[in-house]
Amino acid sequence: MGVLVSNIIAIYRKELQSYFASPFTYVITGVFWFISGLFFAAILLGPTGVIAQVAMQDQFGGGAPVDVPSQFLIVYLGVIGSLSLFILPMLSMGLYAEERKRGTLELLATSPITNWAVAVGKLLGVLTFFFTMTVPLLIYEAIAFLSADPPANPVLLLVAHGGLLLLAAAVLSLGMFVSSLTDSTILSAVLTFGLMLMLWVTDLIASGVQGPVGEAIAHLSLLTSYGNLIQGIVETSDLVLFASYIVLGIFLTAQSIELLRYQRS
Amino acid sequence: MKRTPLTFKGLRYLVWLAPMLVIAGLTAGVVAGSWGPVPLVLILIGLAIAIGWLISESRGGFWRRRSTQANTNGLVATLAVVVILGLINLLGVRYSQSFDLTENQLYTLAPQSQQVVSSLDQPVKLLIFAPTPNPTEERLLNNYRRQSDRFSHEYIDPQANPVLAQQVGVSTMGEVYLEVGEGDAVTRRYVQTLTPQQPLSERLISNAIARLGSDRSAKIYITQGHGERILEAGQGGLSEAIARLQDENYVVEPLQLTEDGQIPADADVVIVPGPQQAFLETEVEALETFAQGANGLLLMLDPTTEPGLDSFLDNWGITLSTDALILDPEGQAVGLGPAVPLVTRYGPHPITEQLSGMSYYPVAQPIALTEVPGVEAVPLLLTGDQSQVQPIDDQGQVQLDPDAEEQGSLAVGVAMSRPVQGNGTLSEEPVDLLENGEDGESRLVIIGNSAFATDGLFGQVLNGDVFLNTVAWLSNQEGEVLAIRPKEPTSRRIVLTLGQQATLAIASLVVVPLLAFAIAIALWLKRR
C-alpha cells in the first residue's frame, strides 16, 4: 500500500514539474485568466452586469428580491464551465500522447508501477494544475461574496467551486483516456473536445427521447449535474455520476495501456 | 482462390460497419419507439457482418494469438466496469439524497407540501399540457416525487396528443391538471396555466392535492333582476367567465333576489355583476346578513348606476361617487381610449400576488376608502399615476376639466375582510362553517367596473385572472388550505465603490493574465 502511494506521488510530482516548468501551459493559463477576467468584469462590473442591472431595478422600484452574489456566482461559473470545455482538452491532450511521441510510453507500460497508479498520478497532477489556474477565479468570487451586504454564506461559494473541480476531474479523466489512444496531441484535444460536447448536450438529445431511455440519457449529462452544484444543490446522484466518469476514465486509460503490450502493429 | 493481401486488408475494415449498423438500428428503434422492419434489418445486417468477420478471422489462427486473449480480457473487463458503473448510477439515482445548501432552501418543498404529499393515500398524477419541461419545473416535480411514490407527472404535448387534450378540456397551452383515480373513475382538477409570469407553482399544486379529500365544490350565486350582466353568451354576457368557473369546479347559479327574498344557505359567494337599477331594501338587508357571515361577496359596480347599496357600503368604509369615472392617458397610449383605465400595478394581496402584466376596465369608477375599525382593506387594482377622476353630467357626457381633479393613482378594485359579525347566522347549520374550514372572515371585493369580465374581454390580457383569482379568494378555495409562501432569496447587494470596481477590472483583465504570460516568457528565455 505504502509503495503504491509513493509510486502515485512520484508520478504526480513528475507531472506537476512538467506542467509548471513548461512555457506552453503558462500561455494557456494566461489566455484562460484573460478570458475569465473578461467575463468577470462583464458579468459583475460591466454596464449590463449584475450590479448595474440590480441598481437599475432598485431605482425603478419593485421587482423580486435579488441575491446578487449568488446570482453572480451561478452566471459566472456557468460561463466558466463552458470555457473550461475548451481549456481542459488542451491540458489533458499531452498526458499520454506526449509520452507516446517521445517513445517513453513503452517504459511506463513495462515499468513495475501499475498502469492505473500511473493514470491516477497523472490525473492528480493535471487536476492540481487546473486548480492553480482557478485560484484567481476563486479570489474574484470571494471578493464578490465578501463585499456583500448583508454578509453572504461562503459555503455556497466553496460548493460551487468544488463543482467546477469535479467537472474538471471528469473531463480530464476522459481526456486522459483519449490521449492514451493516439500519439497526436492535436487529435487527442479535438477528440476530447468532441466527446465533451457530446456529454454536454446529452440533455438536448434526451429531451427528444421518451420514457426511461430518455431519463437514462438525461442523467449522463454533465451540464445538469454541474448546474445543480453551482446553484448550491448537492445531489448524491450527481456526485456518483462525476465519480463514475472519473473512475471510467482512469480504468479505460489503464486498459488501453495494458493492451499496448500485446498490440499487433 | 487465393486472396491478394490488398483486398483482404481492404475488406477487413468493413467490420466497422457492424457496430455502426447495430447502433443505427438501436437508435432508430429507440427514437421511433417501435421495432419495425427498418431497425431490425439494420441490426441483423450488423450482426451478420460481425459474425462473418469472426469466422474469417478465425481461419488465420486469430483465436490463438496472445493479443486476441488480451483484447478479449480487456473487452470483458471494460464491459464489466461499464455495467457496474451503470448499475451504481442506477442505484445512485434511485436512492439519491438531496442537500439544499441555499440559504432560504430555495429548492426544497415547504414543510406543508411535504406533509400533504407524503400523506397521499391514492396515486395522483400531474398532467402538464406543454411540450417541453424546463429544469426548474423538473426540479420541483422531482422534489414532489421524492416525497411519495404515489405522485407522478407527465408532460403532454397537446398538439401531439389532441384526443387526450380534448378529453381533459385543455383550451390553451400550458394548462396543468391533477388527475386522480383510474379507468372510468378518473377525475381531473384544473390547477393552473403556465405563463412566463406564472411558472409552475408549488402553492397551487400542493393546495390542489390537499383539496382532493374534500370534494365539496363552492357554490356561487349571481344576482339577476336589476339589469345586471346576463349569464348567457353575447355582448355583455358572462358566459365565458361562468364556463371557466365551472371548469374550476364551482357550481354557478343565478339568484333572483326579488323572488327568493333571501340568499340561499349554501351560497359561498354572491356576485353582483353591474346592476343598473337599485336593490330593494329587503334585498340590501339580505346582502348585509350574507356579508356578516363567513362568505364572500363580489360587487362589480359600473359608474353612473345607482344600485342603492350606499348604506351597505358605508359599513365597509367605501364611498362611491356614482357620477364620476376614471380617465387614464395610459389606456389611450395603448389604443384603448381614455376612459379605459389600464391597470399594471396590483396591491399586495393573495388575489394579485401572482399577477404581473396588464388588465383593463372599460369605463370604471374610482373607489374611495375610509378606515373602518375591524375592516382590513387592500387596494387591489391601481391605475397609472396620471389618471384623473372626471365628473359626468346628467346627459352622460364627461365634463372635461383638467384642473378639477388632481392626478394620481386610483383604486379600481379593493379587497376587504373583517371578522365574522355576530354568530354568522346566515345558515341555521353551524356545520356549514366548519365544513368550509374558514377562519371566520367575511370577505368583500368591490370593483368599479363590470365590463372586464364579460364575453370578449374576459379572455383579454389578465382580466380573466383577476376575476378568477378574486372568486377563488372569496370562496376561500385558494391559498387558505395551505398557506405556502413563495420562496424568495434574501435580498443582497454587492457594495463596491467605483474606484474598487476599476481596480478589480484592471487586476482581472490586465495584471493577472500578464503575470502568466510573463512567467511563460521567462521560462522560454531560460530554456534557450
Side-chain angles (χ1 to χ4, degrees), chain B residues 21-84:
Chain B
L21 286 173
V22 171
I23 290 173
L26 286 176
T27 317
V30 166
V31 171
S34 68
W35 299 93
V38 177
L40 283 184
V41 165
L42 282 174
I43 294 173
L44 285 180
I45 296 179
L47 288 179
I49 293 179
I51 292 167
W53 176 75
L54 280 178
I55 293 170
S56 77
E57 286 287 293
S58 60
R59 273 199 231 147
F62 169 78
W63 294 108
R64 284 187 292 280
R65 267 189 234 134
R66 198 173 169 202
S67 68
T68 312
Q69 278 173 16
N71 277 332
T72 321
N73 285 343
L75 198 68
V76 171
T78 310
L79 274 179
V81 165
V82 169
V83 169
I84 290 171

Side-chain angles (χ1 to χ4, degrees), chain A residues 21 33 54 58 66-68 140 147-151 159 219 228 231-237 244 255 262 264, chain B residues 65-67 70-71 74 81 89 93 96-97 99 101-102 107 139 146 490 492-493 495 508-509 512 523 527:
Chain A
W33 282 353
V54 173
D58 286 347
V66 186
D67 185 356
V68 182
Y140 302 155
S147 53
D149 175 53
V159 169
H219 175 65
N228 282 346
Q231 289 183 45
I233 309 164
V234 182
E235 297 232 21
T236 47
S237 61
S244 304
Q255 281 292 316
Y262 308 111
R264 301 180 288 171
Chain B
R65 267 189 234 134
R66 198 173 169 202
S67 68
N71 277 332
V81 165
N89 272 285
V93 173
S96 182
Q97 290 286 318
F99 303 95
L101 298 179
T102 53
Y107 307 108
R139 180 167 297 126
R146 206 168 280 142
T490 313
R492 192 171 273 141
R493 300 286 176 267
V495 189
S508 61
L509 280 174
V512 174
L523 280 175
R527 277 203 184 174

Side-chain angles (χ1 to χ4, degrees), chain B residues 279-445:
Chain B
F279 279 68
L280 299 176
E281 212 161 293
T282 50
E283 294 172 333
V284 177
E285 262 169 38
L287 280 180
E288 207 144 326
T289 325
F290 179 73
Q292 279 170 1
N295 302 301
L297 181 60
L298 172 58
L299 299 175
M300 305 199 286
L301 304 178
D302 288 314
T304 71
T305 57
E306 304 222 1
L309 294 172
D310 291 350
S311 64
F312 169 76
L313 293 175
D314 271 348
N315 289 339
W316 290 84
I318 304 167
T319 358
L320 296 178
S321 47
T322 44
D323 53 351
L325 56 76
I326 302 176
L327 288 190
D328 183 5
E330 280 182 39
Q332 197 159 23
V334 296
L336 290 169
V340 182
L342 190 69
V343 169
T344 51
R345 273 193 280 168
Y346 301 93
H349 194 271
I351 296 178
T352 44
E353 69 182 359
Q354 295 278 340
L355 297 179
S356 75
M358 64 173 204
S359 54
Y360 63 86
Y361 306 85
V363 194
Q365 61 177 328
I367 290 156
L369 287 175
T370 48
E371 212 164 296
V372 173
V375 174
E376 197 185 327
V378 180
L380 280 185
L381 313 165
L382 296 162
T383 62
D385 286 331
Q386 278 147 31
S387 41
Q388 292 177 316
V389 179
Q390 293 289 354
I392 307 169
D393 62 16
D394 295 340
Q395 280 82 44
Q397 295 294 314
V398 178
Q399 296 167 323
L400 269 187
D401 183 4
D403 307 321
E405 295 284 341
E406 55 194 284
Q407 295 185 343
S409 182
L410 299 162
V412 186
V414 179
M416 283 178 263
S417 58
R418 69 177 178 201
V420 169
Q421 294 184 341
N423 52 2
T425 49
L426 173 72
S427 66
E428 256 96 79
E429 323 143 51
V431 193
D432 197 33
L433 279 177
L434 290 176
E435 212 173 69
N436 282 344
E438 294 175 26
D439 41 15
E441 252 186 4
S442 312
R443 294 177 167 186
L444 172 76
V445 171

